[in-house]
Coordinates of all heavy atoms in Angstrom, one line a residue:
G1003 N 112.2 115.9 103.3 CA 111.0 115.9 102.6 C 110.2 117.2 102.8 O 109.6 117.7 101.8
F1004 N 110.1 117.7 104.0 CA 109.4 118.9 104.3 C 110.1 120.1 103.5 O 109.5 120.9 102.9 CB 109.4 119.3 105.8 CG 108.3 118.5 106.5 CD1 108.6 117.7 107.6 CD2 107.0 118.6 106.1 CE1 107.6 117.1 108.3 CE2 106.0 117.9 106.8 CZ 106.3 117.2 107.9
Y1005 N 111.5 120.1 103.5 CA 112.2 121.1 102.8 C 112.0 121.1 101.3 O 111.7 122.1 100.7 CB 113.7 120.9 103.1 CG 114.6 121.9 102.4 CD1 114.7 123.2 102.8 CD2 115.3 121.4 101.3 CE1 115.5 124.1 102.1 CE2 116.1 122.3 100.6 CZ 116.2 123.6 101.0 OH 117.0 124.5 100.3
I1006 N 112.0 119.9 100.7 CA 111.7 119.8 99.3 C 110.3 120.3 98.9 O 110.1 121.0 98.0 CB 111.9 118.3 98.8 CG1 113.4 118.0 98.9 CG2 111.4 118.1 97.4 CD1 113.7 116.5 98.7
K1007 N 109.4 119.9 99.8 CA 108.0 120.3 99.5 C 107.8 121.8 99.7 O 107.1 122.4 98.9 CB 107.0 119.5 100.3 CG 106.8 118.1 99.9 CD 105.8 117.3 100.6 CE 105.7 115.9 100.2 NZ 104.4 115.5 99.7
K1008 N 108.4 122.3 100.7 CA 108.3 123.8 101.0 C 109.0 124.6 100.0 O 108.4 125.6 99.5 CB 108.8 124.1 102.4 CG 108.6 125.5 102.8 CD 109.0 125.8 104.2 CE 108.7 127.2 104.4 NZ 109.1 128.0 105.3
T1009 N 110.2 124.3 99.6 CA 111.0 125.1 98.7 C 110.6 124.8 97.2 O 111.0 125.6 96.4 CB 112.5 124.9 98.9 OG1 112.8 123.6 98.6 CG2 112.9 125.3 100.3
K1010 N 109.9 123.7 97.0 CA 109.6 123.3 95.6 C 110.8 123.2 94.8 O 110.8 123.6 93.6 CB 108.5 124.2 95.0 CG 107.2 124.2 95.8 CD 106.2 125.0 95.2 CE 105.0 124.8 96.1 NZ 103.8 125.3 95.9
K1011 N 111.9 122.7 95.4 CA 113.2 122.5 94.7 C 113.0 121.6 93.5 O 113.6 121.9 92.5 CB 114.2 121.9 95.7 CG 115.6 121.8 95.3 CD 116.5 121.3 96.4 CE 117.9 121.2 95.9 NZ 118.8 120.7 97.0
I1012 N 112.2 120.6 93.7 CA 111.8 119.7 92.5 C 110.3 119.5 92.6 O 109.7 119.6 93.7 CB 112.6 118.4 92.5 CG1 112.3 117.6 93.8 CG2 114.0 118.6 92.2 CD1 112.9 116.2 93.7
K1013 N 109.7 119.3 91.5 CA 108.3 119.0 91.4 C 108.0 117.8 90.6 O 108.8 117.3 89.9 CB 107.6 120.2 90.8 CG 107.7 121.5 91.5 CD 106.9 122.7 90.8 CE 107.7 123.4 89.8 NZ 109.0 123.9 89.9
I1014 N 106.8 117.2 90.9 CA 106.4 116.0 90.1 C 106.4 116.4 88.6 O 105.8 117.5 88.3 CB 105.0 115.5 90.6 CG1 105.2 115.0 92.0 CG2 104.5 114.4 89.7 CD1 103.9 114.6 92.7
G1015 N 107.0 115.6 87.8 CA 107.0 115.9 86.4 C 108.4 116.4 85.9 O 108.7 116.3 84.8
D1016 N 109.2 117.0 86.9 CA 110.5 117.4 86.5 C 111.4 116.3 86.1 O 111.3 115.2 86.7 CB 111.2 118.1 87.7 CG 110.6 119.5 88.0 OD1 109.8 120.0 87.2 OD2 111.0 120.1 89.1
T1017 N 112.3 116.5 85.2 CA 113.3 115.5 84.8 C 114.6 116.0 85.5 O 115.0 117.1 85.3 CB 113.5 115.4 83.3 OG1 112.2 115.1 82.7 CG2 114.5 114.3 83.0
I1018 N 115.2 115.1 86.3 CA 116.4 115.5 87.1 C 117.5 114.5 86.9 O 117.2 113.3 86.5 CB 116.0 115.6 88.6 CG1 115.6 114.3 89.2 CG2 115.0 116.7 88.8 CD1 115.5 114.3 90.7
K1019 N 118.7 114.9 87.3 CA 119.8 114.0 87.3 C 120.5 114.2 88.6 O 120.9 115.3 89.0 CB 120.8 114.2 86.2 CG 122.0 113.3 86.1 CD 122.8 113.5 84.9 CE 123.9 112.5 84.9 NZ 124.8 112.7 83.7
V1020 N 120.6 113.1 89.4 CA 121.3 113.2 90.7 C 122.1 111.9 90.9 O 121.6 110.8 90.7 CB 120.3 113.4 91.9 CG1 119.3 112.3 92.0 CG2 121.0 113.6 93.2
K1021 N 123.3 112.0 91.3 CA 124.2 110.9 91.5 C 124.2 109.9 90.4 O 124.2 108.7 90.5 CB 123.8 110.1 92.8 CG 124.2 110.9 94.1 CD 124.1 110.0 95.3 CE 125.5 110.1 95.9 NZ 125.7 109.1 96.9
G1022 N 124.2 110.4 89.1 CA 124.3 109.6 88.0 C 123.0 109.0 87.6 O 122.9 108.2 86.6
I1023 N 122.0 109.2 88.3 CA 120.6 108.7 87.9 C 119.8 109.8 87.3 O 119.6 110.9 87.9 CB 119.9 108.1 89.2 CG1 120.8 107.0 89.8 CG2 118.6 107.6 88.8 CD1 120.3 106.6 91.2
E1024 N 119.3 109.5 86.1 CA 118.5 110.5 85.4 C 117.1 109.9 85.2 O 116.9 108.8 84.9 CB 119.1 110.8 84.1 CG 118.4 111.9 83.3 CD 119.1 112.2 82.0 OE1 120.4 112.1 81.9 OE2 118.4 112.5 81.0
G1025 N 116.1 110.8 85.5 CA 114.7 110.3 85.3 C 113.7 111.4 85.6 O 114.1 112.5 86.1
R1026 N 112.5 111.1 85.4 CA 111.3 112.0 85.7 C 110.8 111.7 87.1 O 110.6 110.6 87.4 CB 110.3 111.8 84.6 CG 109.1 112.8 84.6 CD 108.2 112.6 83.4 NE 107.6 111.3 83.3 CZ 106.5 110.9 84.0 NH1 105.9 111.7 84.7 NH2 106.1 109.7 83.8
V1027 N 110.5 112.8 87.8 CA 110.0 112.7 89.2 C 108.5 112.2 89.1 O 107.7 112.9 88.5 CB 110.1 114.0 89.9 CG1 109.5 113.9 91.3 CG2 111.5 114.4 90.0
I1028 N 108.3 111.1 89.7 CA 106.9 110.5 89.7 C 106.1 110.9 91.0 O 105.0 111.3 90.9 CB 107.0 108.9 89.6 CG1 107.7 108.5 88.4 CG2 105.6 108.3 89.7 CD1 107.1 108.9 87.1
S1029 N 106.8 110.8 92.1 CA 106.2 111.2 93.4 C 107.2 111.6 94.4 O 108.4 111.2 94.3 CB 105.4 110.0 93.9 OG 106.2 109.0 94.3
I1030 N 106.7 112.5 95.3 CA 107.6 113.0 96.4 C 106.8 112.8 97.7 O 105.7 113.3 97.8 CB 107.9 114.5 96.2 CG1 108.6 114.7 94.9 CG2 108.8 115.0 97.3 CD1 108.7 116.2 94.5
N1031 N 107.4 112.0 98.6 CA 106.7 111.9 99.9 C 107.7 112.3 100.9 O 108.8 112.8 100.6 CB 106.1 110.5 100.1 CG 107.2 109.4 100.2 OD1 108.2 109.6 100.7 ND2 106.8 108.3 99.6
L1032 N 107.4 112.2 102.2 CA 108.3 112.7 103.2 C 109.6 111.9 103.3 O 110.6 112.5 103.8 CB 107.6 112.6 104.6 CG 106.4 113.6 104.8 CD1 105.8 113.5 106.1 CD2 106.9 115.0 104.6
L1033 N 109.7 110.7 102.9 CA 110.9 109.9 103.1 C 111.7 109.8 101.9 O 113.0 109.8 101.9 CB 110.6 108.5 103.6 CG 109.9 108.5 105.0 CD1 109.5 107.0 105.4 CD2 110.8 109.0 106.0
E1034 N 111.1 109.7 100.7 CA 111.8 109.4 99.5 C 111.1 110.0 98.3 O 109.9 110.4 98.4 CB 112.0 107.9 99.3 CG 110.7 107.2 99.2 CD 110.8 105.7 99.4 OE1 111.9 105.2 99.8 OE2 109.8 105.0 99.2
T1035 N 111.9 110.1 97.2 CA 111.3 110.6 95.9 C 111.5 109.5 94.9 O 112.5 108.9 94.8 CB 112.1 111.9 95.5 OG1 111.9 112.9 96.5 CG2 111.5 112.4 94.2
K1036 N 110.4 109.2 94.2 CA 110.4 108.2 93.2 C 110.6 108.8 91.8 O 109.9 109.7 91.4 CB 109.1 107.4 93.2 CG 108.9 106.3 92.2 CD 107.6 105.6 92.3 CE 107.3 104.6 91.3 NZ 106.0 104.0 91.4
I1037 N 111.6 108.3 91.1 CA 111.8 108.8 89.7 C 111.7 107.6 88.8 O 112.0 106.5 89.2 CB 113.1 109.6 89.5 CG1 114.3 108.7 89.8 CG2 113.2 110.8 90.5 CD1 115.6 109.3 89.4
E1038 N 111.4 107.9 87.6 CA 111.3 106.8 86.5 C 112.4 107.1 85.5 O 112.4 108.2 84.9 CB 109.9 106.8 85.9 CG 109.7 105.7 84.9 CD 108.3 105.7 84.3 OE1 108.1 106.5 83.4 OE2 107.5 105.0 84.8
T1039 N 113.2 106.2 85.3 CA 114.3 106.4 84.3 C 113.8 106.2 82.9 O 112.7 105.8 82.7 CB 115.5 105.3 84.6 OG1 115.0 104.0 84.3 CG2 116.0 105.5 86.0
K1040 N 114.7 106.5 82.0 CA 114.3 106.3 80.5 C 114.0 104.8 80.2 O 113.2 104.6 79.3 CB 115.4 106.8 79.6 CG 115.6 108.3 79.7 CD 116.8 108.7 78.8 CE 116.9 110.2 78.9 NZ 118.1 110.7 78.2
N1041 N 114.5 103.9 81.0 CA 114.3 102.5 80.8 C 113.0 102.0 81.5 O 112.7 100.8 81.6 CB 115.4 101.6 81.3 CG 116.7 102.0 80.6 OD1 116.7 102.5 79.5 ND2 117.8 101.7 81.3
K1042 N 112.2 103.0 82.0 CA 110.9 102.7 82.7 C 111.2 102.0 84.0 O 110.3 101.3 84.5 CB 109.9 101.9 81.8 CG 109.6 102.6 80.5 CD 108.8 103.9 80.8 CE 108.4 104.5 79.4 NZ 108.0 105.9 79.6
E1043 N 112.3 102.1 84.6 CA 112.6 101.6 85.9 C 112.3 102.6 87.0 O 112.6 103.8 86.8 CB 114.1 101.2 86.1 CG 114.5 100.0 85.1 CD 116.0 99.8 85.2 OE1 116.7 100.5 85.9 OE2 116.4 98.8 84.6
S1044 N 111.7 102.2 88.1 CA 111.4 103.1 89.2 C 112.6 103.1 90.2 O 113.0 102.0 90.6 CB 110.1 102.7 89.9 OG 109.0 102.8 89.1
V1045 N 113.0 104.2 90.5 CA 114.2 104.4 91.5 C 113.7 105.3 92.6 O 113.1 106.3 92.4 CB 115.4 105.0 90.8 CG1 116.5 105.1 91.8 CG2 115.8 104.2 89.6
F1046 N 113.9 104.8 93.8 CA 113.5 105.6 95.0 C 114.8 106.2 95.6 O 115.8 105.5 95.9 CB 112.9 104.7 96.1 CG 111.6 104.1 95.6 CD1 111.5 102.9 94.9 CD2 110.4 104.9 95.8 CE1 110.2 102.4 94.5 CE2 109.2 104.4 95.4 CZ 109.1 103.2 94.8
I1047 N 114.8 107.5 95.7 CA 116.0 108.2 96.2 C 115.6 108.9 97.5 O 114.6 109.6 97.6 CB 116.4 109.3 95.2 CG1 116.7 108.7 93.9 CG2 117.6 110.1 95.8 CD1 117.0 109.7 92.8
P1048 N 116.4 108.6 98.6 CA 116.1 109.2 99.9 C 116.2 110.7 99.8 O 117.0 111.2 99.1 CB 117.2 108.6 100.8 CG 117.6 107.4 100.2 CD 117.5 107.6 98.7
N1049 N 115.3 111.4 100.5 CA 115.2 112.8 100.4 C 116.5 113.5 100.9 O 116.8 114.6 100.4 CB 114.0 113.4 101.1 CG 112.7 113.1 100.4 OD1 112.7 112.9 99.1 ND2 111.6 113.0 101.1
T1050 N 117.2 112.9 101.8 CA 118.4 113.5 102.3 C 119.4 113.6 101.1 O 120.2 114.6 101.1 CB 119.1 112.7 103.4 OG1 119.2 111.4 103.1 CG2 118.2 112.9 104.7
I1051 N 119.5 112.7 100.2 CA 120.4 112.8 99.1 C 120.0 113.9 98.2 O 120.9 114.7 97.7 CB 120.4 111.4 98.3 CG1 121.0 110.3 99.1 CG2 121.1 111.6 96.9 CD1 121.0 109.0 98.5
L1052 N 118.7 114.2 98.0 CA 118.2 115.3 97.1 C 118.6 116.6 97.7 O 118.7 117.6 97.0 CB 116.7 115.1 96.9 CG 116.3 113.9 96.1 CD1 114.8 113.8 96.0 CD2 117.0 113.9 94.7
T1053 N 118.7 116.7 99.0 CA 119.0 118.0 99.6 C 120.5 118.2 99.8 O 121.0 119.3 99.9 CB 118.3 118.2 101.0 OG1 118.7 117.1 101.9 CG2 116.8 118.3 100.9
K1054 N 121.3 117.1 99.8 CA 122.7 117.2 100.0 C 123.5 117.3 98.6 O 124.5 118.0 98.5 CB 123.3 116.0 100.7 CG 122.9 116.0 102.2 CD 123.4 114.8 102.9 CE 123.0 114.7 104.3 NZ 123.4 113.5 105.0
E1055 N 123.0 116.5 97.6 CA 123.7 116.4 96.4 C 123.3 117.5 95.4 O 122.2 118.1 95.5 CB 123.4 115.0 95.7 CG 123.9 113.9 96.6 CD 125.4 113.8 96.6 OE1 126.1 114.1 95.6 OE2 125.9 113.4 97.7
Q1056 N 124.1 117.7 94.4 CA 123.8 118.7 93.3 C 122.8 118.0 92.4 O 123.0 116.9 91.9 CB 125.1 119.0 92.6 CG 124.9 120.0 91.4 CD 124.5 121.4 91.9 OE1 124.8 121.8 93.0 NE2 123.7 122.1 91.1

Side-chain angles (χ1 to χ4, degrees):
F1004 281 124
Y1005 174 77
I1006 290 170
K1007 287 186 182 238
K1008 184 175 182 200
T1009 62
K1010 298 185 181 181
K1011 187 175 181 179
I1012 58 172
K1013 295 181 272 314
I1014 294 175
D1016 286 351
T1017 303
I1018 62 169
K1019 183 175 183 180
V1020 61
K1021 288 196 124 189
I1023 300 171
E1024 184 178 326
R1026 187 172 57 85
V1027 176
I1028 302 297
S1029 67
I1030 304 169
N1031 63 42
L1032 290 179
L1033 297 176
E1034 60 197 8
T1035 298
K1036 179 180 177 183
I1037 65 170
E1038 185 179 81
T1039 65
K1040 290 180 181 176
N1041 300 336
K1042 302 294 183 194
E1043 295 175 354
S1044 295
V1045 179
F1046 294 90
I1047 301 174
N1049 287 335
T1050 52
I1051 291 176
L1052 294 175
T1053 55
K1054 289 179 184 176
E1055 298 291 326
Q1056 180 68 30

